[in-house]
Amino acid sequence: MAARAGEGTHAPPPYDTAATWAEQLLDQLRPAVRHPRRAVAWLARTVHATVGLEGADGRLLAGEHLPVDAAIRADVATGRISAAALEDGGRHVHLVGIRHPGPGRAAGALLTVARSAPFDRRAAEIVHRTAGVLGLLLRESELARSARRLRRASADLRLAILQLLMVEDVVSARRVAAGLWPGLLEQDTARVYVVEGSPAGRDALAEECADLTEGRALVVRCPAMDGHVIVVSPASAPGDRLRALVADRPDTYLGGSIHQRLARTATAYGQAVSALAVARFSPGRSAVYAERTHPERLLDPAALRTWSARTLRPLDTLPHHTRAELLATTRLGLEFTAVSAAKVLGVSRNTVRARMDRLQTLLDTDLSGLTTRTAVRLALLTEAAHGPYDPSTVPHTGVRFTDLLDSAALRDWAGDLLGRLDGDGRDLRGTLCAWISADANAERAAKQRGVHAQTVREHVRAAEPVLERQLLAGGSDLYEVVLAHLADGTLAAPEGGANGDQADAPVHR
């Protein structure tokens, strides 16, 4: 909108005394109102003129564009002269260069003031004093933009570090972090926390998390979930501070992992998300991933290690970085949707799907089935927990997946877990088994059970608080329940790649 004399319903304020206009000019610097547009509008009203403020590139910043002699404008813009006064077609024009603080004499902006009456001494002084105030306002705007760019760059760096940790590239993550946050990732282990609040308040929540952790943790706005803030903390103290933060903020929740090696950040992140689901039903609105959710620890460790190494043997021909990339992507892809995994890793969802397709081709298996996904995930988690293995030490024959499941401790765990559902008269256990058999497809499970698909969903949802696990959202909780069904024999073990490379193992295509 043009800034012209007499604009608005009130008469222009007088400027017959220095105190009057000077006070009004200083008033333009009040935090609640300061902005170049307001200062330009005030100048137009005060000196009864048309005013324009342009950048050195000719971009209009406030007021309206006023054409002036190109040569004079160039002289002021380049700093050859600081100001100019001229008559142009019956107009009296003042042109003032507003310097930027950088090196050189060139102007950062140009203030043009034109009116029909000549400029007296007082009007000229007001114009030049206003140019000084505009310089301060423009400098403040530039500093604010620089601060925003710095915050964005810092946030992008933190996200990049997280994404490197997610694909097990700890060396590169430390190298990136060393320049800005020295010592942040020096320890070999860390906990991952996920703080959930409202998407609208996420920025403020992230700032509070950063303040509380005092630079001793990696604080990242989750790229997949708008309300989530991810905190990777090598130290233990931030956990107590984050719990206190959640306790003081309604509708805010905290989930935390157990200590994990930095190379297992993706696993720790999945644990934190799983704990977050429990936190939503906890009185303190916070929870830490519980030891009870480690059924793989009930398996024979040597047998589990051997089976996992043999299951993943087809990947041994790949270069190390490619192998690690496929494993890390697939672990996230099995825990979350392809879209969420892609956002966390900073790649496209097609890239996530392509990597998972390549892995399932190499393993000669089909990841579309829940039981197969559960078995492959177990192999991936086992390698992540124990680190790379020596292919030459892995026997060519031995343990099958069905052998792993033949564990008394695992069967007892499965019986205790699924037995919680037996007391419900709706046969939640039967519906849940049918739903898992149908690969979490409610419509197919409904046909098998002879009920409506909505009934299946309601039964699965009703089983969640009983089992203390989140099922409809997928992820680690669901895989544990699938493993329980496999262990107690309710579901048949998957065939094909999940059984390793036994010569007599049937191939699932």
Side-chain angles (χ1 to χ4, degrees):
M1 182 174 66
R4 295 183 180 276
E7 190 174 71
T9 58
H10 300 287
Y15 63 93
D16 55 339
T17 67
T20 301
W21 68 259
E23 289 172 358
Q24 293 169 0
L25 180 56
L26 286 175
D27 192 57
Q28 303 303 314
L29 294 174
R30 285 191 298 118
V33 300
R34 60 189 178 210
H35 194 283
R37 284 196 297 271
R38 294 180 65 94
V40 165
W42 173 86
L43 176 61
R45 293 193 305 269
T46 303
V47 299
H48 309 288
T50 303
V51 182
L53 179 65
E54 300 177 2
D57 57 0
R59 179 171 54 92
L60 185 65
L61 304 177
E64 72 174 61
H65 177 71
L66 297 173
V68 295
D69 183 270
I72 296 177
R73 188 187 189 284
D75 286 342
V76 177
T78 58
R80 185 169 176 269
I81 57 176
S82 61
L86 63 148
E87 288 188 48
D88 183 13
R91 299 182 308 163
H92 296 269
V93 180
H94 272 212
L95 186 63
V96 183
I98 299 175
R99 302 283 172 252
H100 54 62
R105 300 167 55 193
L110 300 174
L111 176 65
T112 307
V113 184
R115 67 181 197 170
S116 57
F119 284 84
D120 56 23
R121 181 179 59 83
R122 183 59 54 83
E125 183 179 2
I126 292 174
V127 170
H128 284 273
R129 296 292 185 184
T130 304
V133 169
L134 286 169
L136 294 175
L137 295 175
L138 292 174
R139 177 57 178 158
E140 180 188 47
S141 297
E142 177 57 34
L143 288 173
R145 286 192 295 270
S146 297
R148 287 194 295 271
R149 289 194 294 268
L150 182 60
R151 286 195 296 270
R152 283 197 298 268
S154 177
D156 290 344
L157 274 177
R158 289 194 295 269
L159 176 58
I161 293 169
L162 176 67
Q163 290 168 341
L164 288 169
L165 291 174
M166 287 288 192
V167 295
E168 303 182 17
D169 194 348
V170 177
V171 173
S172 296
R174 283 173 169 158
R175 187 178 297 122
V176 174
L180 291 177
W181 303 283
L184 176 62
L185 301 178
E186 283 184 354
Q187 298 184 34
D188 292 327
T189 63
R191 289 181 185 266
V192 173
Y193 299 92
V194 176
V195 189
E196 180 182 71
S198 67
R202 203 244 308 251
D203 287 347
L205 181 61
E207 292 295 333
E208 287 194 59
C209 291
D211 291 341
L212 286 174
T213 55
E214 299 177 338
R216 295 196 294 269
L218 182 69
V219 180
V220 181
R221 292 164 177 80
C222 179
M225 301 297 292
D226 290 340
H228 287 188
V229 176
I230 302 171
V231 181
V232 182
S233 174
S236 298
D240 296 331
R241 296 176 182 178
L242 291 173
R243 279 187 283 274
L245 169 65
V246 167
D248 292 338
R249 293 176 64 108
D251 301 319
T252 306
Y253 306 92
L254 173 69
S257 75
I258 62 174
H259 269 290
Q260 297 282 6
R261 291 184 297 109
L262 286 177
R264 297 197 68 197
T265 299
T267 299
Y269 172 62
Q271 291 178 349
V273 172
S274 178
L276 187 64
V278 177
R280 296 190 184 100
F281 305 101
S282 300
R285 302 198 308 279
S286 67
V288 175
Y289 191 70
E291 289 296 323
R292 63 165 177 76
T293 57
H294 286 278
E296 64 270 17
R297 294 185 178 179
L298 303 175
L299 304 175
D300 180 271
L304 177 61
R305 181 76 175 122
T306 299
W307 169 80
S308 299
R310 289 178 52 251
T311 298
L312 301 179
R313 183 192 295 277
L315 304 179
D316 293 343
T317 58
L318 300 175
H320 172 74
H321 71 279
T322 302
R323 186 180 190 278
E325 188 176 70
L326 289 183
L327 293 179
T329 301
T330 303
R331 278 200 300 271
L332 277 178
L334 291 176
E335 296 286 345
F336 307 101
T337 66
V339 173
S340 294
K343 290 179 179 178
V344 170
L345 292 172
V347 298
S348 71
R349 60 183 176 182
N350 289 336
T351 298
V352 170
R353 292 187 178 114
R355 290 176 183 174
M356 294 182 69
D357 286 345
R358 186 179 181 187
L359 181 134
Q360 75 173 353
T361 298
L362 289 169
L363 298 187
D364 197 12
T365 192
D366 184 357
L367 292 178
S368 63
L370 257 179
T371 56
T372 301
R373 290 165 73 94
T374 299
V376 171
R377 175 181 177 272
L378 180 60
L380 297 177
L381 291 180
T382 301
E383 177 172 319
H386 294 278
Y389 58 85
D390 182 357
S392 64
T393 65
V394 180
H396 287 275
T397 59
V399 183
R400 295 165 59 90
F401 186 56
T402 49
D403 299 326
L404 285 178
L405 299 176
D406 189 19
S407 160
L410 186 67
R411 285 195 300 271
D412 289 344
W413 166 82
D416 289 342
L417 178 65
L418 299 180
R420 301 178 192 176
L421 301 173
D422 292 340
D424 194 294
R426 292 171 292 179
D427 191 16
L428 299 184
R429 187 166 180 172
T431 302
L432 180 59
C433 181
W435 181 70
I436 292 174
S437 298
D439 297 325
N441 185 294
E443 284 73 18
R444 292 208 306 267
K447 289 181 180 179
Q448 178 184 336
R449 298 284 291 174
V451 297
H452 194 277
Q454 185 59 31
T455 302
V456 172
R457 296 187 187 95
E458 290 173 356
H459 283 193
V460 174
R461 191 175 291 111
E464 290 183 330
V466 178
L467 298 176
E468 296 180 329
R469 283 161 174 81
Q470 203 171 22
L471 303 176
L472 290 170
S476 59
D477 286 356
L478 175 58
Y479 291 122
E480 288 175 9
V481 174
V482 174
L483 187 61
H485 281 84
L486 292 170
D488 78 346
T490 308
L491 293 177
E495 298 178 342
N499 271 316
D501 51 4
Q502 294 276 14
D504 60 344
V507 177
H508 181 77
R509 296 188 184 277

